[in-house]
Amino acid sequence: MMKRFILVLTIVLAFVSCKEKESKNIAFADLIVHNAKVAVMDTDRTITEAIAIKDGKVLETGANEEILKLKNEGTKIIDAHGKTIIPGLNDSHLHLTRGGRFFNAELRWDGVKSLKKALRMLKEQAERTPKGQWVRVIGGWSPFQFEEKRFPTPQEINEATGDVPAYVLFLYSRAWLNQAGLDALAIDENTKAPEGSSFEKGADGKLTGVLLAEPNPGILYARIGALPSLSEEEMVNSTRQFYRELNSFGITSGIDAGGGGHKFPKDYAGTKLLAEAGEMPIRLSYYLFPQNKGEEYAEFQEWIANNEVGHNGEIHLDHGYELEGGGEFLAWSAGDFENFLAPQPMLEDRPTWREDLKRIIRLHVDNGWPFRIHATYGETIANMLDVIEEVNEETNGKLASKRWLFDHAETVKEEDLQRIKTLNGGIAIQARMAYAGEYFVERYGADKAKQAPPVRKMMDMGLPVGAGTDGTRVASYNPWPALYWLITGKTVGDLQLSEPANQLSREEALHLYTKGSAWISDEETVKGTLENGMYADLALLSGDYFTVPEKEINNLKSVLTIVGGNVVFASGEYQNMNPKLPEVIPDWSPVKYYGGYQSK
């Protein structure tokens, strides 16, 4: 009798407690992930046990017991089994729309450990590639990641691919066309290369198939642009596959820096179609990159007249696709290409650069458009700052009231960091040195590499800094080797570049890849941490980022990625939550056989 009385009393008390919560307007969670190591990444660097999500935002974080009080019969509960949760990663400079457009057509050497395996993949792909298509490896790798520590030879590429046209790109420094590719593009000893580039010839005067950017990559862009494209259906499928790949690494946001050979709006169709259907699994803001040298001002005039920019710290949870501004190139005459295999380009050699750049920056400022500028070298940045300061003075400080930033800044000088800060600018740094650092050292010396870029100085000065990769061509899109580089200062070939004073703690590196990158798109008040009210964008990791041996940071992945409270990727024990993804098309796509990043 007493047991029955106690049971009834328990039920009544539970009912009363529930009613009390309702009367106090306590919000119940849509989703709770508990039994975790939750890195909130607030200013206190709080680590706690559970997170509650409601309406796409963080409702509360805290101890398991407290957070589980926020459940009701409609709450989905996920047990993290002690795994680490971090805010979703945000790549501040990633060529997402272009990467998605081409992903299914490309064989990725990202992460491949040996040249022997890379050539075997090339041979296998050539055997399945149909007539009229090409085998293509479009960047994302370094010869120093291979056991052999060298480039493939033209002979090796020809032997692997035979009579199937093939194109292999290394960053924006050089590329290889096999003989079938040279024939298909009708390139011979008499073909003229674009200015600042060349077709390599052997001692016999014959073409080797090597294309050299010296340092202008126009010769590389042109050949990529000549390759056959995917159909619209294949391109949309390709974009889905690529964004799922990014989600698998814990990426929940990316800021698209446009790119050469990638025209707006035509070439953005794959992403735009997903966004219009409300099927974006990633938050994407994008910048517009002019395509035609000498016509940049006219291109920006047209874009500004016909497109609205900015979202004032808001982004639609069900949309995730917003125009951000102009760049990363503004004027081709002001470009300083990052080819460390060639001498540093100097703006002084291009007499119109100052006038070209000033007109375009002034156009952006007058119309309230944010902008970002590609600048590798400190000398370039110093010269560009002269122009930026002029525009700011002429507009009574209007420039400094808008978001603007430099991209890359590998050799920026300390005095110019202060000038950037004075103008309220920021910097987006990328892991390009992780893929080309060996060639940087060969050309400029190990001492200069110790502070390339001087990320610690940027942070100590209070400059806004976002982190990223610059994938998919001049680096891999995988964020974990980029984080490893920030923490250790080492390349993917394990060459030590940064000195200890320029290396970051794991917390600092993660901050740049989350809250730091959110500044670039004016969203630091809505995402980048797991504080209450922020977007519920997070990744449950395969290992503990904060404690695994440094080398293992390279191999981390997400096992559960959530964007706006919705699961966009799941693997392992959470596989049954993984959203359905259509089969890869076309049937010969390298992605169908190898996937993307090669982690084994």
Side-chain angles (χ1 to χ4, degrees):
M1 191 71 176
M2 181 60 71
K3 287 183 180 179
R4 182 176 297 176
F5 173 76
I6 291 172
L7 177 61
V8 171
L9 181 61
T10 301
I11 294 170
V12 169
L13 289 173
F15 178 77
V16 170
S17 174
C18 184
K19 286 299 181 183
E20 283 178 354
K21 285 183 179 179
E22 290 177 2
S23 68
K24 292 177 183 177
N25 294 318
I26 292 178
F28 289 101
D30 300 322
L31 171 66
I32 289 174
V33 186
H34 70 116
N35 242 358
K37 178 180 178 180
V38 181
V40 179
M41 290 302 292
D42 54 357
T43 55
D44 294 329
R45 297 293 186 257
T46 301
I47 300 289
T48 189
E49 296 177 325
I51 183 168
I53 295 166
K54 184 171 181 62
D55 297 331
K57 296 183 179 180
V58 177
L59 177 61
E60 198 170 327
T61 58
N64 288 323
E65 184 180 354
E66 292 303 310
I67 297 304
L68 286 169
K69 289 177 182 177
L70 299 174
K71 70 176 181 178
N72 65 8
E73 64 278 2
T75 304
K76 182 176 181 63
I77 307 292
I78 296 176
D79 189 337
H81 300 294
K83 289 185 171 65
T84 296
I85 290 176
I86 62 170
L89 298 177
N90 181 355
D91 192 315
S92 66
H93 185 125
L94 177 62
H95 297 274
L96 293 95
T97 56
R98 188 179 67 187
R101 175 181 159 209
F102 290 112
F103 187 61
N104 281 9
E106 295 175 352
L107 176 67
R108 303 302 306 181
W109 280 357
D110 307 41
V112 175
K113 301 296 189 294
S114 74
L115 179 58
K116 181 180 179 181
K117 178 182 177 182
L119 290 168
R120 184 176 74 246
M121 293 167 69
L122 200 65
K123 183 177 189 298
E124 292 169 356
Q125 186 55 36
E127 290 169 353
R128 69 172 65 93
T129 299
K131 188 175 179 58
Q133 273 294 346
W134 285 58
V135 181
R136 52 190 105 180
V137 179
I138 310 296
W141 58 279
S142 163
F144 297 99
Q145 77 192 36
F146 299 143
E147 294 169 2
E148 298 88 344
K149 304 293 184 186
R150 67 173 178 85
F151 285 130
T153 65
Q155 182 181 359
E156 287 171 328
I157 290 174
N158 273 291
E159 287 175 355
T161 55
D163 59 0
V164 179
Y167 182 87
V168 177
L169 176 73
F170 169 62
L171 314 185
Y172 279 135
S173 298
R174 60 177 54 195
W176 293 258
L177 283 168
N178 68 351
Q179 187 59 51
L182 289 170
D183 295 342
L185 297 178
I187 295 172
D188 60 24
E189 287 74 16
N190 299 312
T191 304
K192 188 173 176 134
E195 183 182 350
S197 55
S198 67
F199 295 102
E200 183 184 75
K201 294 180 181 178
D204 58 0
K206 301 289 187 183
L207 294 180
T208 65
V210 178
L211 315 181
L212 298 171
E214 298 174 327
N216 191 327
I219 189 171
L220 310 178
Y221 281 135
R223 270 71 228 176
I224 296 171
L227 303 181
S229 60
L230 297 172
S231 69
E232 183 176 282
E233 180 187 8
E234 291 165 345
M235 185 173 59
V236 172
N237 182 283
S238 177
T239 300
R240 288 184 189 276
Q241 306 295 335
F242 182 54
Y243 291 170
R244 179 64 62 87
E245 172 88 345
L246 296 179
N247 290 152
S248 77
F249 292 111
I251 295 176
T252 58
S253 290
I255 306 173
D256 192 308
H262 188 59
K263 297 179 181 179
F264 179 82
K266 177 177 72 73
D267 293 331
Y268 288 63
T271 296
K272 189 169 186 289
L273 287 168
L274 290 183
E276 289 175 343
E279 297 177 4
M280 283 290 286
I282 194 166
R283 301 185 195 278
L284 189 156
S285 25
Y286 60 99
Y287 285 76
L288 298 183
F289 188 122
Q291 300 299 305
N292 302 307
K293 184 178 179 181
E295 299 177 24
E296 301 97 327
Y297 187 83
E299 286 185 78
F300 279 121
Q301 275 187 314
E302 181 182 350
W303 289 333
I304 288 171
N306 294 291
N307 297 277
E308 187 176 347
V309 73
H311 44 71
N312 301 315
E314 294 296 330
I315 190 165
H316 300 299
L317 292 171
D318 60 349
H319 192 76
Y321 180 65
E322 298 285 347
L323 173 59
E324 199 61 45
E328 65 181 286
F329 263 40
L330 295 179
W332 281 86
S333 60
D336 70 339
F337 306 108
E338 69 284 355
N339 180 7
F340 303 140
L341 286 167
Q344 176 180 337
M346 305 304 290
L347 292 184
E348 290 82 354
D349 297 334
R350 286 163 271 166
T352 67
W353 79 265
R354 183 180 295 271
E355 176 189 352
D356 296 342
L357 185 63
K358 185 173 181 179
R359 286 182 76 212
I360 291 168
I361 290 177
R362 182 64 189 262
L363 180 67
H364 280 73
V365 173
D366 287 344
N367 288 276
W369 269 45
F371 62 90
R372 63 194 303 168
I373 311 178
H374 168 109
T376 301
Y377 300 99
E379 293 80 1
T380 304
I381 290 171
N383 281 320
M384 288 181 170
L385 280 167
D386 292 341
V387 174
I388 292 169
E389 287 167 344
E390 285 177 20
V391 172
N392 190 57
E393 186 174 345
E394 291 171 8
T395 59
N396 297 315
K398 191 176 177 182
L399 180 147
S401 70
K402 292 292 179 185
R403 293 285 158 111
W404 73 273
L405 63 138
F406 281 112
D407 280 297
H408 316 310
E410 275 86 357
T411 66
V412 64
K413 295 177 174 59
E414 190 167 355
E415 59 265 30
D416 292 323
L417 292 177
Q418 184 58 56
R419 295 169 73 190
I420 295 168
K421 183 178 181 181
T422 299
L423 290 163
N424 295 328
I427 298 177
I429 60 168
Q430 297 80 41
R432 304 190 311 178
M433 289 289 287
Y435 294 83
E438 286 85 356
Y439 294 115
F440 183 96
V441 169
E442 185 178 305
R443 182 167 293 278
Y444 300 112
D447 280 347
K448 199 163 188 176
K450 291 176 181 178
Q451 290 280 335
V455 59
R456 169 66 65 191
K457 289 179 182 176
M458 296 174 188
M459 295 176 69
D460 287 348
M461 290 175 66
L463 270 166
V465 182
T469 58
D470 202 0
T472 60
R473 295 180 181 174
V474 303
S476 175
Y477 51 79
N478 186 343
W480 296 105
L483 283 156
Y484 175 76
W485 164 73
L486 284 169
I487 294 161
T488 67
K490 293 180 180 179
T491 69
V492 294
D494 265 343
L495 176 68
Q496 185 68 54
L497 297 177
S498 295
E499 61 188 340
N502 198 36
Q503 295 163 23
L504 304 185
S505 71
R506 300 190 193 201
E507 289 80 3
E508 288 169 331
L510 183 58
H511 170 82
L512 294 192
Y513 236 106
T514 51
K515 187 74 173 282
S517 292
W519 181 90
I520 307 297
S521 55
D522 198 6
E523 295 179 279
E524 69 271 24
T525 61
V526 295
K527 68 179 179 183
T529 75
L530 296 177
E531 295 171 274
N532 295 358
M534 301 291 269
Y535 289 148
D537 300 349
L538 59 90
L540 182 66
L541 300 180
S542 57
D544 184 4
Y545 165 73
F546 300 101
T547 62
V548 295
E550 281 183 344
K551 190 71 174 172
E552 291 182 23
I553 293 172
N554 286 296
N555 302 320
L556 290 173
K557 294 195 73 173
S558 177
V559 294
L560 185 72
T561 306
I562 291 173
V563 177
N566 297 314
V567 174
V568 295
F569 170 79
S571 65
E573 62 193 289
Y574 306 102
Q575 179 68 40
N576 64 336
M577 301 181 203
N578 200 31
K580 187 174 181 182
L581 190 66
E583 288 292 317
V584 175
I585 56 172
D587 189 61
W588 54 265
S589 167
V591 175
K592 183 171 183 177
Y593 300 91
Y594 303 109
Y597 192 87
Q598 303 297 300
S599 56
K600 294 181 181 178

